[in-house]
Amino acid sequence: MSETIFTKIINGEISADIVYEDELCLAFNDINPQAPVHFLVIPKKPVATINDITEADREVVGHLTFVAAKVAKEMGIDHEGYRTVMNCNEFGGQSVYHIHLHVLGGKLLGWPPYTDKPKNLE
Ligand code: AMP
């Protein structure tokens, strides 16, 4: 897969507001937050989309959710609640092709996550 901006963040080539790091993953605040709290948890291993997850990635993919919950607790949004989202491809609204778990919180979130009729229901 071609290198994304997230690989550059992992390699320290561009800066990010990092909130957590370990040997498997990195978490940083989203540059264009959609909620008062909005951070991303990404694996250090580049995997383009959820569709590309293999058996070998099971541990790290589970670890993303573990870290999301840990950082959400540290940020004090665990009690009121928050949302985790992983977008996939065009219909999912994915724009960076390196899997990432969005964690959104700090206010009451809307549902469903679209304003127009979704394309697959037209
Ligand atoms: P998605 O649309 O699901 O692929 O999400 C990609 C997310 O990455 C968006 O919410 C962007 O705002 C965020 N993003 C893109 N570039 C950066 C960056 N350099 N630092 C932090 N977040 C970024």
Side-chain angles (χ1 to χ4, degrees):
M1 62 180 269
S2 56
E3 189 173 282
T4 71
I5 195 158
F6 289 175
T7 297
K8 289 185 167 59
I9 290 173
I10 291 164
N11 293 338
E13 295 165 28
I14 65 166
S15 63
D17 186 10
I18 293 170
V19 294
Y20 178 87
E21 180 169 12
D22 64 23
E23 69 283 5
L24 291 177
C25 75
L26 190 65
F28 51 91
N29 285 318
D30 196 294
I31 203 166
N32 183 25
Q34 301 301 310
V37 174
H38 185 180
F39 65 90
L40 307 173
V41 190
I42 72 171
K44 288 188 171 174
K45 175 187 174 184
V47 177
T49 79
I50 299 175
N51 294 332
D52 301 300
I53 292 168
T54 68
E55 192 78 19
D57 301 321
R58 287 174 60 169
E59 182 188 351
V60 70
V61 170
H63 188 63
L64 300 181
T65 299
F66 175 81
V67 169
K70 176 182 167 65
V71 177
K73 188 170 186 178
E74 286 168 5
M75 291 188 176
I77 59 168
D78 54 319
H79 182 67
E80 287 181 313
Y82 55 92
R83 182 171 300 158
T84 62
V85 177
M86 193 179 283
N87 296 325
C88 182
N89 279 341
E90 181 191 355
F91 279 15
Q94 184 172 7
S95 61
V96 178
Y97 283 78
H98 179 133
I99 58 168
H100 48 281
L101 194 61
H102 292 260
V103 183
L104 301 128
K107 70 175 182 181
L108 187 61
L109 302 170
W111 189 266
Y114 55 82
T115 50
D116 297 325
K117 195 172 181 182
K119 289 180 184 176
N120 60 332
L121 296 180
E122 280 176 356

